[in-house]
Amino acid sequence: MSNFIFIPIVILSISAGLCAILITYQLQKKYRLGYLSAYLYFQIFINVFGLYGIMGQGLVKKYSSSRHRRSRQLKRSDISSPCSVFLF
């Protein structure tokens, strides 16, 4: 997928996820129901790891393209570098 299509899709995904999280937060603050806090954590979890999956897919496609296949091998540290952000 070219950057011309990929970047707007990522921006749209981030904005839709942020809207869902904000709506859930407002519902939790207004109604104070127990299951809304679990739903808020679910929204955060699904959006963070969904974006992580999209970024990981783009990273793997970038490094495993046919023109770089011979000159650059896919290393484990290249794939796990986005994971290191969550360690701190």
Side-chain angles (χ1 to χ4, degrees), residues 1-21:
M1 192 181 313
S2 68
N3 285 340
F4 183 70
I5 297 171
F6 184 72
I7 292 173
I9 289 175
V10 169
I11 290 172
L12 182 67
S13 299
I14 290 171
S15 62
L18 185 63
C19 286
I21 290 171

Side-chain angles (χ1 to χ4, degrees), residues 3-68:
N3 285 340
F4 183 70
I5 297 171
F6 184 72
I7 292 173
I9 289 175
V10 169
I11 290 172
L12 182 67
S13 299
I14 290 171
S15 62
L18 185 63
C19 286
I21 290 171
L22 290 175
I23 289 170
T24 307
Y25 177 72
Q26 291 297 323
L27 284 172
Q28 180 194 18
K29 202 165 79 169
K30 184 175 181 179
Y31 294 111
R32 303 238 187 248
L33 298 172
Y35 65 87
L36 286 176
S37 63
Y39 184 64
L40 176 65
Y41 292 129
F42 169 75
Q43 285 291 329
I44 293 170
F45 173 80
I46 201 73
N47 285 300
V48 166
F49 286 105
L51 289 173
Y52 175 74
I54 292 171
M55 287 176 15
Q57 179 185 9
L59 183 66
V60 168
K61 282 186 179 183
K62 179 181 174 186
Y63 283 118
S64 66
S65 66
S66 62
R67 64 181 182 186
H68 291 146

